[in-house]
Amino acid sequence: MKKIKGSCLCGVVSFEVTNTFEKLFLCSCDQCRQITGSAFASNLFVGIKGFDWLNGIDDIIKYQVPGRDISKSFCRVCGAGVPWANGNGTKMIVPAGSLNEPVNVVERIRIFASEQPIWASELEQTPAHAEFPDLS
């Protein structure tokens, strides 16, 4: 099976993973929104055997949300999100934005949609720009 590469923003942390992801969760829970600073977290799930660290494992910091099976791993240099193992160590959770190539996903699921902020519910109708719009 083909592997693809991913990394943090600065490239200190890098990894490769089998390009067959079981699920893509777009999560709008309060904790995921706070962890990402966005409308939702976009996390891919893959078996632990399909994942290998290439560089920077000692440069990863992990924050565990108290009382929940929610965590955030990030590069200590640039702060970008990087993969982490689930609670029982059987799956790797890979932030979709950390991958450098297109992904193959079996199933896409939106979760905790009831916690999605009102401002995010109309994103499809928001004008799109290829770059920064003129701010003057």
Side-chain angles (χ1 to χ4, degrees), residues 19-136:
N19 193 7
T20 302
F21 294 92
E22 299 164 13
K23 296 184 186 321
L24 167 65
F25 279 177
L26 301 176
C27 182
S28 292
C29 79
D30 294 338
Q31 293 82 15
C32 282
R33 287 196 335 270
Q34 287 181 315
I35 282 173
T36 63
S38 186
F40 53 83
S42 52
N43 292 315
L44 295 153
F45 290 72
V46 68
I48 198 93
K49 291 181 182 177
F51 184 91
D52 293 300
W53 292 108
L54 299 175
N55 292 303
I57 195 164
D58 294 332
D59 291 301
I60 297 172
I61 298 173
K62 183 175 181 180
Y63 173 74
Q64 180 68 45
V65 176
R68 302 273 317 258
D69 190 19
I70 299 172
S71 60
K72 170 77 172 184
S73 290
F74 55 95
C75 170
R76 78 172 64 240
V77 177
C78 67
V82 296
W84 67 95
N86 67 343
N88 64 14
T90 59
K91 306 261 186 248
M92 287 300 285
I93 297 138
V94 180
S98 68
L99 291 163
N100 302 328
E101 301 177 53
V103 299
N104 295 318
V105 180
V106 174
E107 184 177 15
R108 292 169 174 83
I109 304 168
R110 292 195 54 159
I111 59 175
F112 291 94
S114 63
E115 295 181 32
Q116 178 177 289
I118 292 171
W119 60 265
S121 64
E122 299 175 357
L123 291 177
E124 291 297 318
Q125 291 80 33
T126 303
H129 301 271
E131 299 176 352
F132 277 118
D134 182 12
L135 300 175
S136 56

